Amino acid sequence: MNIAAEWAKYYALSGHRQSLLDGDWEINGINQGLDGMDALLREAVKGNYYGVTSGDFYQMREKSPAADFRISNARSYVKNEMDAIKRDIEEEEERRRQERERERERASLTLV
């Protein structure tokens, strides 16, 4: 196992996982635009317009990535896989550390 390469993959996954939340600013802008249209329509027709209500505009709002269950599920799945990868890498690092320690002990015994 190339530990450096495995850590690089782990951190790449971490970056992709984080990017699933990107877009909050854009979504916030869209939702503010919908709120603005709602307010303008209510003002233009003195609060009683037909066909679209404030509740309808609320339903049109985009969900933030953190509130989208598919994105949340994807993030959880990736996190679980990342945890498993991290455990594997750390176990390999520990195994190699112990092997180096045993080698040092053997080397010190042969020098005595």
Side-chain angles (χ1 to χ4, degrees):
M1 170 188 282
N2 180 336
I3 291 178
E6 294 303 312
W7 277 121
K9 291 176 192 174
Y10 175 86
Y11 289 118
L13 278 172
S14 180
H16 289 301
R17 181 174 177 267
Q18 182 58 39
S19 72
L20 290 173
L21 292 182
D22 290 347
D24 273 339
W25 285 102
E26 293 85 355
I27 287 171
N28 188 42
I30 291 168
N31 289 340
Q32 286 179 350
L34 286 169
D35 290 344
M37 284 190 290
D38 178 31
L40 286 171
L41 275 173
R42 274 189 280 119
E43 175 62 30
V45 296
K46 306 297 182 239
N48 293 315
Y49 54 92
Y50 302 96
V52 180
T53 66
S54 290
D56 293 327
F57 274 105
Y58 184 79
Q59 293 294 327
M60 292 176 201
R61 293 174 66 98
E62 292 288 332
K63 290 182 180 176
S64 71
D68 185 305
F69 77 93
R70 291 166 301 201
I71 292 173
S72 178
N73 287 346
R75 283 178 51 81
S76 294
Y77 176 78
V78 171
K79 178 66 172 137
N80 290 338
E81 294 301 314
M82 287 174 61
D83 290 345
I85 291 167
K86 185 177 182 181
R87 277 191 306 272
D88 289 346
I89 295 169
E90 288 174 341
E91 285 172 5
E92 179 65 15
E93 286 177 330
E94 180 62 18
R95 186 192 66 73
R96 289 182 185 187
R97 187 194 64 73
Q98 288 175 356
E99 182 62 30
R100 285 191 305 272
E101 197 63 36
R102 283 191 293 272
E103 288 294 321
R104 279 190 219 120
E105 287 175 9
R106 278 187 230 132
S108 68
L109 289 176
T110 56
L111 292 176
V112 175

